[in-house]
Amino acid sequence: LLSLGTGTNSEFDKTYTAEEAAKWGPLRWMLAIQQMTNAASSYMTDYYISTVFQARHSQNNYLRVQENALTGTTTEMDDASEANIELLVQVGETLLKKPVSKDSPETYEEALKRFAKLLSNRKKLRANKASY
């Protein structure tokens, strides 16, 4: 299972200060809570799916690709401007160099190559079985 996230700006402790939040009105609070809820949903889905794959000793069959430190216009899903697309490409290229987890030195680039090889091998295996 290859799980591709849309990215979040879930480093809320670095995004908001208590002084700023103290001045927010109801609409601003709703936006912040929506962002936090979306990030929590993403984290929990990843946690549950990862746990299932680990319990089945198949953790190498699951890869979640997600940037959790988006900033500025890269967080806006309705901004398809050329400048923002270029920023998102840079985010993706930077993400490829990051480790998949704190526990693993494997980068996203290495993990995606490993995953592509795994999928290719499985496709070949199915094709060989179908030819019999």
Side-chain angles (χ1 to χ4, degrees):
L1 174 64
L2 177 61
S3 175
L4 301 175
T6 57
T8 68
N9 59 341
S10 63
E11 294 183 344
F12 299 110
D13 59 327
K14 298 174 186 154
T15 306
Y16 308 117
T17 65
E19 293 80 24
E20 288 175 315
K23 299 173 187 170
W24 291 350
L27 291 177
R28 184 64 183 98
W29 271 107
M30 287 175 58
L31 176 62
I33 290 170
Q34 178 188 18
Q35 291 172 341
M36 290 178 194
T37 302
N38 289 344
S41 175
S42 175
Y43 279 122
M44 292 310 298
T45 300
D46 177 40
Y47 174 78
Y48 287 130
I49 293 173
S50 177
T51 301
V52 168
F53 275 83
Q54 287 176 15
R56 299 187 52 88
H57 305 290
S58 300
Q59 53 268 31
N60 288 336
N61 294 334
Y62 173 66
L63 177 62
R64 172 76 173 165
V65 179
Q66 168 96 334
E67 175 57 71
N68 291 314
L70 294 178
T71 59
T73 60
T74 60
T75 63
E76 298 173 17
M77 293 201 187
D78 61 345
D79 185 349
S81 66
E82 190 172 327
N84 199 44
I85 297 299
E86 287 177 24
L87 284 173
L88 289 169
V89 168
Q90 289 175 3
V91 167
E93 289 171 348
T94 302
L95 182 61
L96 286 172
K97 306 300 180 209
K98 289 183 178 181
V100 172
S101 72
K102 294 175 185 174
D103 304 330
S104 171
E106 183 180 45
T107 65
Y108 278 104
E109 183 174 20
E110 295 164 340
L112 285 166
K113 286 178 182 177
R114 176 183 52 78
F115 214 74
K117 185 173 179 81
L118 176 71
L119 291 173
S120 176
N121 290 341
R122 291 207 175 153
K123 182 178 180 183
K124 289 175 188 174
L125 182 64
R126 282 194 308 273
N128 287 338
K129 284 183 180 179
S131 66
Y132 287 113

